[in-house]
C-alpha cells in the first residue's frame, strides 16, 4: 500500500520536476531568512550588547543629596581598583546663562574627554582646542543664530565670559540644545569652583559593569550611580530592527514562494484532472485525492524547509562574520523552524487546490467526447 | 429472480433545461450482456454514468445489486464504485507514470489492498504477461485497452460498464478485446456496453437503443437481425 502511495507521489513529482524544483528553491529561500533571523537573535544579541556597552558612557553619577558633586572626588575614578575597567569619564557642570538675551543651558565639561567618549557626535567646524573656544549644540545655534567662528558672550548675574564658536554639534539628543564650554571657565563664571552637576562614566561591559557600579556606590559618598537606560534601549532597537528587517524580507519571500507553490499545485491539478477523475471513478475517496496533493505539497515544503534550514545557518554565519565579526552558534530551533515554515507555507498555499481536486466531478471530466 | 440493475422512470436534467435522460426504465439480469446504442448525444453515456454512480439522476429510481443509488452520499457512491463496478473507457485513462501492472494495482489499492500476483495474473489473462512492466506510452492502443479490462475486473465487480471500449482500436485489436469480453461473459460477468458499432452491439445478449434520452427499441440482436432494422 505504501509502495503504491510512494509511486503515485514520486511519479507525479517527476512529471512536474522543474516546477517542483522552483517551488522548493522559493520555499528554501524564504525559510532560510527566517532561520537566519532565529540564529542571529540567539548569538548576536550578547555580542552586540557588549559592543554597544563599550560604545559611549553607560553610567551616570549624580548627587544623591544636595545640588552638587565635588570635583575632588573624581580621584576615586583614578583608583587602581576601578581604573582598568574604565574607558573614560567626563565631568559636567550644567547651568543656565544668558546668551544674546536668551536663557541657554551651558555645559561646562572636559572637551577633550567628551570627544573620546562620544565619537559619534558630528561636529560641523572643529572640536574646541583651547579654553576660550566653545561647541554649540545644533538647536541652540539655530535658536541663537550662531555660526562657526562667531564670538559669543555668556552672562550670569554680573559675570561675563566670551567664547569663540569652534564647531556646531549634532548628537541626536538633548545636547543639541546646549553650549559646551570649558568646565573651569563655567565654574568661575557661575561662582561654583570645584563643583559638578554630574559625571558620565564609560565602563567596559566585558569586565563587569556591575562590579564598577558596586565600587562607585561604595566609594563615592553622596553620589548616586545610575545605569544609562538608553544604551540598553539602543541595543534593543538595533537588534529588533535587524530582526524585523530579516523577518519582513523572509515573510515577503515566503509569500512569493507560497504563490509559486500555489501555481505549481494549480497547474498540476489542471494537468492531472483526468487522472484525479479516474481515481474517483475507480472508487477513491475525497480524502485519498486530497492526500495526493497534500503529500506533494508537503514533500515540496519539507524539502524546501530542510534546504532552507541549512541555507539559513550559512546566511547567519555570513551575516555574523561580515556584520558583527562573530561566529553564530547554530540554534537547535533551526531545523524545526525551517521545516515547519516550509510545510506550513506549502500546505497553506495548496489548500484551495487540494479542496478543489477532491471535489472533482468524474462524470464531467471522463465524458469521453 | 431480482434484476441486478433496475431503473424506473429515470430522468436526468442539466440546469433544469437539457433533458439527457427522459423517463428511462430498464432492467438487467445477473450475467446478462447488454449493449446500449444510439447516436452521439442521445444520452447513452449519461445512462452509463448513472448506473456507475458517477452522476446523480434528477428523478426516478435506480437500484443496483439491491442498493438504492439515489440515497447514497458521495463517499458511499465511491465505495459502491470500487466494490460493485468495473469501468472501461474509450480513451483508456491509464495513469501515465505507472506501469501496466501498477495501473491494475491502483484499482486494488482503492478497493482494499494491493496484490501483485493477482494483478499480474489479470494481465496474463488479457495476454499482457510479457508487458506488465511497460508504461502506457510504451503500449499500443489495443494493449492499453486490455490493461483497462484487467483493471476493471481485478476486484471481481458485479458489473462491468464499458463506454465505447473498442472505439479507438483497429479491427485486429477490436477482435482481441471482444474475445476477452466474451470470455468474461462466459465466466458469468454482467456486461453493459455503450457503443456506436453495430458489429459490437450484435454480440451482446440484448440491445437498448436510446434516442433523445428515451429508450426507443429494447431488442435482442436476433430480433433486430430478423427484422432487418439495423441502422448501419
Amino acid at each position: 500500500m505504501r509502495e503504491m502511495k510512494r509511486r503515485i507521489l514520486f511519479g507525479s513529482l517527476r512529471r512536474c520536476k522543474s516546477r517542483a524544483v522552483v517551488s522548493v528553491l522559493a520555499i528554501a529561500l524564504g525559510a532560510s531568512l527566517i532561520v537566519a533571523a532565529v540564529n542571529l537573535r540567539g548569538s548576536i544579541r550578547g555580542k552586540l550588547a557588549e559592543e554597544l556597552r563599550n560604545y559611549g558612557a553607560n553610567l551616570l553619577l549624580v548627587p544623591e543629596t544636595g545640588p552638587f558633586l565635588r570635583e575632588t572626588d573624581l580621584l576615586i575614578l583614578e583608583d587602581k581598583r576601578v581604573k582598568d575597567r574604565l574607558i573614560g569619564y567626563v565631568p559636567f557642570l550644567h547651568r543656565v546663562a544668558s546668551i544674546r538675551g536668551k536663557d541657554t543651558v551651558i555645559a561646562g565639561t572636559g572637551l577633550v574627554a567628551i570627544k573620546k567618549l562620544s565619537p559619534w557626535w558630528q561636529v560641523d567646524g572643529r572640536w574646541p582646542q583651547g579654553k576660550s573656544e566653545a561647541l554649540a549644540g545644533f538647536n541652540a545655534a539655530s535658536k541663537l543664530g550662531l555660526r562657526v567662528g562667531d564670538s559669543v558672550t555668556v552672562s550670569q548675574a554680573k559675570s561675563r565670559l566670551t567664547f569663540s564658536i569652534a564647531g556646531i554639534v549634532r548628537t541626536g539628543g538633548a545636547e543639541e540644545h546646549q553650549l559646551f564650554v570649558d568646565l573651569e571657565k563655567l565654574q568661575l563664571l557661575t561662582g561654583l569652583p570645584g563643583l559638578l552637576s554630574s559625571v558620565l562614566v564609560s565602563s567596559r561591559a566585558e569586565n563587569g559593569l556591575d562590579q564598577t557600579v558596586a565600587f562607585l556606590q561604595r566609594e563615592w559618598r553622596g553620589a548616586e550611580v545610575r545605569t544609562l537606560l538608553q544604551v540598553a534601549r539602543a541595543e534593543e532597537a538595533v537588534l529588533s530592527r535587524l530582526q524585523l528587517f530579516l523577518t519582513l524580507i523572509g515573510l515577503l519571500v515566503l509569500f512569493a514562494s507560497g504563490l509559486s507553490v500555489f501555481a505549481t499545485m494549480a497547474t498540476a491539478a489542471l494537468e492531472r484532472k483526468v487522472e484525479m477523475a479516474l481515481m474517483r471513478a475507480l472508487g477513491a475517496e475525497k480524502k485519498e485525492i486530497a492526500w495526493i496533493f497534500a503529500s506533494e505539497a508537503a514533500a515540496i515544503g519539507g524539502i524546501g524547509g530542510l534546504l532552507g534550514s541549512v541555507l539559513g545557518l550559512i546566511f547567519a554565519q555570513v551575516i555574523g562574520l561580515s556584520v558583527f565579526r562573530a561566529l553564530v552558534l547554530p540554534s537547535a530551533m533551526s531545523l524545526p523552524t525551517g521545516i515547519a515554515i516550509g510545510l506550513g507555507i506549502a500546505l497553506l498555499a495548496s489548500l484551495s487546490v487540494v479542496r478543489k481536486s477532491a471535489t472533482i466531478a468524474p462524470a464531467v471530466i471522463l465524458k469521453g467526447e | 429472480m431480482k434484476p441486478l440493475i433496475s431503473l424506473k422512470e429515470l430522468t436526468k436534467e442539466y440546469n433544469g433545461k437539457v433533458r439527457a435522460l427522459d423517463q428511462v426504465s430498464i432492467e438487467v439480469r445477473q450475467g446478462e450482456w447488454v449493449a446500449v446504442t444510439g447516436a452521439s448525444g442521445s444520452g447513452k453515456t449519461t445512462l452509463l454514468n448513472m448506473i456507475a454512480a458517477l452522476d446523480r439522476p434528477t428523478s426516478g429510481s435506480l437500484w443496483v445489486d439491491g442498493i438504492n443509488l439515489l440515497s447514497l452520499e458521495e463517499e458511499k457512491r465511491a465505495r459502491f464504485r470500487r466494490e460493485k463496478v468495473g469501468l472501461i473507457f474509450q480513451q483508456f485513462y491509464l495513469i501515465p507514470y505507472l506501469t501496466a501492472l501498477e495501473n491494475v494495482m491502483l484499482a486494488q489499492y482503492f478497493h482494499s489492498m494491493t496484490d501483485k500476483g493477482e494483478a499480474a495474473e489479470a494481465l496474463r489473462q488479457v495476454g499482457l504477461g510479457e508487458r506488465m512492466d511497460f508504461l502506457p506510452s510504451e503500449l499500443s492502443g489495443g494493449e492499453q485497452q486490455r490493461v483497462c479490462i484487467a483493471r476493471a475486473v481485478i476486484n471481481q465487480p458485479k458489473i462491468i460498464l464499458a463506454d465505447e471500449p473498442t472505439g479507438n482500436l483497429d479491427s485486429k485489436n477490436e477482435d482481441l478485446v471482444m474475445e476477452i469480453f466474451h470470455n468474461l461473459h462466459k465466466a458469468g460477468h454482467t456486461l453493459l456496453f455503450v457503443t456506436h458499432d453495430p458489429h459490437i452491439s450484435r454480440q451482446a445478449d440484448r440491445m437498448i437503443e436510446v434516442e433523445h434520452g428515451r429508450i426507443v427499441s429494447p431488442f435482442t440482436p436476433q430480433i433486430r437481425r430478423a427484422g432487418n432494422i439495423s441502422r448501419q
Side-chain angles (χ1 to χ4, degrees):
Chain A
M1 298 291 273
R2 280 186 184 169
E3 173 66 12
M4 183 54 74
K5 277 187 176 180
R6 196 181 61 79
R7 289 285 295 138
I8 294 171
L9 174 61
F10 288 103
S12 61
L13 278 177
R14 262 201 304 275
R15 277 182 68 196
C16 57
K17 198 160 42 184
S18 54
R19 274 198 305 274
V21 167
V22 169
S23 293
V24 163
L25 289 178
I27 284 186
L29 189 59
S32 70
L33 291 174
I34 305 286
V35 169
V38 166
N39 277 276
L40 287 170
R41 182 189 175 84
S43 286
I44 297 300
R45 178 175 287 269
K47 173 77 181 167
L48 195 61
E50 273 191 19
E51 288 204 357
L52 282 168
R53 281 184 192 129
N54 285 334
Y55 197 64
N58 44 20
L59 296 176
L60 177 67
L61 296 168
V62 292
E64 196 171 35
T65 53
F68 299 110
L69 297 168
R70 284 177 302 167
E71 195 174 355
T72 50
D73 284 340
L74 287 175
L75 284 173
I76 295 166
L77 298 172
E78 300 293 333
D79 190 302
K80 62 180 180 186
R81 286 173 291 173
V82 73
K83 196 176 177 185
D84 287 348
R85 283 200 294 271
L86 300 186
I87 295 165
Y89 61 87
V90 193
F92 281 98
L93 175 65
H94 287 105
R95 307 308 292 164
V96 175
S98 176
I99 300 174
R100 295 182 178 177
K102 291 178 181 170
D103 284 348
T104 307
V105 177
I106 312 295
T109 186
L111 289 166
V112 175
I114 204 168
K115 183 181 177 184
K116 183 183 168 192
L117 230 62
S118 309
W120 68 92
W121 283 18
Q122 292 175 1
V123 175
D124 183 17
R126 59 173 174 76
W127 281 85
Q129 288 174 345
K131 291 189 175 186
S132 59
E133 288 187 335
L135 193 64
F138 180 77
N139 290 331
S142 301
K143 187 176 142 192
L144 299 169
L146 299 177
R147 291 181 181 177
V148 174
D150 280 2
S151 186
V152 62
T153 301
V154 180
S155 315
Q156 202 197 43
K158 291 179 181 174
S159 304
R160 286 163 187 252
L161 278 174
T162 301
F163 296 94
S164 167
I165 302 296
I168 292 169
V169 65
R170 277 180 180 270
T171 67
E175 298 87 357
E176 292 191 6
H177 296 276
Q178 301 171 9
L179 182 78
F180 292 86
V181 299
D182 177 68
L183 173 64
E184 196 182 335
K185 288 255 185 182
L186 186 63
Q187 285 171 333
L188 281 172
L189 178 77
T190 55
L192 300 167
L195 296 178
L196 304 171
S197 306
S198 62
V199 181
L200 276 173
V201 178
S202 180
S203 174
R204 294 181 205 283
E206 69 268 32
N207 287 344
L209 188 63
D210 293 343
Q211 288 175 31
T212 307
V213 171
F215 175 83
L216 292 176
Q217 278 174 336
R218 192 172 62 244
E219 298 296 324
W220 196 323
R221 307 270 174 202
E224 183 188 338
V225 185
R226 295 178 187 168
T227 306
L228 290 179
L229 284 174
Q230 59 261 43
V231 174
R233 283 182 190 143
E235 221 177 272
E236 281 298 322
V238 170
L239 275 174
S240 300
R241 283 175 196 167
L242 179 69
Q243 280 184 283
L244 184 66
F245 174 73
L246 283 173
T247 307
L248 282 176
I249 296 284
L251 289 175
L252 280 173
V253 176
L254 282 176
F255 178 72
S257 44
L259 288 179
S260 171
V261 176
F262 174 78
T264 301
M265 301 307 293
T267 311
L270 200 66
E271 283 177 354
R272 298 171 64 194
K273 64 179 182 182
V274 170
E275 196 181 307
M276 296 299 129
L278 172 75
M279 288 181 183
R280 285 290 282 158
L282 292 178
E285 291 177 12
K286 284 180 184 175
K287 64 182 179 190
E288 287 171 307
I289 303 294
W291 174 90
I292 292 169
F293 282 99
S295 302
E296 282 182 30
I300 288 171
I303 296 168
L306 189 69
L307 190 62
S309 303
V310 176
L311 283 176
L313 286 172
I314 295 169
F315 284 172
Q317 294 299 343
V318 170
I319 294 171
L321 284 171
S322 59
V323 180
F324 301 104
R325 289 185 293 282
L327 274 174
V328 174
L329 282 175
S331 163
M333 290 305 292
S334 303
L335 199 62
T337 304
I339 291 176
I341 288 169
L343 285 175
I345 289 293
L347 290 173
L348 203 66
S350 60
L351 200 62
S352 67
V353 177
V354 168
R355 288 171 67 179
K356 207 171 170 184
S357 302
T359 54
I360 206 162
V364 177
I365 310 293
L366 304 176
K367 58 187 169 187
E369 296 299 326
Chain B
M1 193 173 126
K2 278 181 84 174
L4 184 64
I5 302 169
S6 171
L7 288 74
K8 281 187 187 148
E9 298 178 349
L10 200 78
T11 297
K12 174 66 183 177
E13 288 179 351
Y14 291 105
N15 304 321
K17 294 174 187 169
V18 181
R19 185 167 280 206
L21 289 179
D22 190 3
Q23 305 274 318
V24 171
S25 298
I26 54 170
E27 289 187 345
V28 178
R29 290 183 303 280
Q30 172 84 45
E32 210 179 354
W33 181 351
V34 176
V36 180
T37 64
S40 259
S42 59
K44 54 189 190 304
T45 296
T46 306
L47 178 65
L48 193 86
N49 285 341
M50 299 293 153
I51 297 167
L54 287 170
D55 205 351
R56 284 178 182 278
T58 308
S59 63
S61 77
L62 171 55
W63 290 75
V64 178
D65 197 28
I67 298 167
N68 179 6
L69 292 191
L70 270 72
S71 68
L72 292 185
E73 294 301 317
E74 200 54 50
E75 290 312 286
K76 284 185 178 166
R77 293 167 74 81
R79 185 176 170 185
F80 166 84
R81 285 195 294 273
R82 64 178 175 259
E83 288 180 355
K84 305 286 183 187
V85 176
L87 283 166
I88 297 161
F89 305 95
Q90 181 179 357
Q91 281 87 355
F92 320 137
Y93 295 132
L94 294 168
I95 307 288
Y97 51 83
L98 297 182
T99 63
L101 184 68
E102 287 166 341
N103 266 287
V104 177
M105 287 166 71
L106 189 69
Q108 292 179 315
Y109 168 69
F110 291 128
H111 180 268
S112 50
M113 57 192 299
T114 54
D115 183 328
K116 206 170 181 176
E118 266 184 28
E121 182 54 32
L123 282 170
R124 271 183 222 109
Q125 283 179 8
V126 294
L128 290 174
E130 303 299 314
R131 300 178 76 78
M132 56 181 76
D133 292 325
F134 284 52
L135 290 171
S137 57
E138 298 163 332
L139 300 173
S140 70
E143 287 170 331
Q144 287 187 53
Q145 192 58 299
R146 281 186 276 158
V147 176
C148 294
I149 294 169
R151 182 180 66 189
V153 300
I154 190 68
N155 296 320
Q156 301 296 321
K158 283 271 183 180
I159 313 147
I160 295 168
L161 300 171
D163 191 356
E164 304 281 6
T166 56
N168 276 349
L169 304 182
D170 56 33
S171 59
K172 189 182 161 197
N173 276 304
E174 182 181 299
D175 291 344
L176 263 171
V177 165
M178 288 312 295
E179 190 187 331
I180 296 167
F181 282 126
H182 276 286
N183 291 337
L184 289 170
H185 185 225
K186 274 183 208 159
H189 284 93
T190 306
L191 305 175
L192 197 138
F193 274 32
V194 161
T195 181
H196 280 104
D197 189 345
H199 171 67
I200 302 297
S201 59
R202 273 197 294 270
Q203 298 178 50
D205 297 334
R206 184 156 62 100
M207 274 193 294
I208 296 168
E209 188 171 358
V210 184
E211 196 175 292
H212 302 304
R214 286 177 163 270
I215 305 287
V216 292
S217 52
F219 298 125
T220 60
Q222 291 78 11
I223 293 170
R224 195 165 70 162
R225 278 197 293 272
N228 195 25
I229 55 169
S230 167
R231 290 175 184 253
Q232 274 273 40

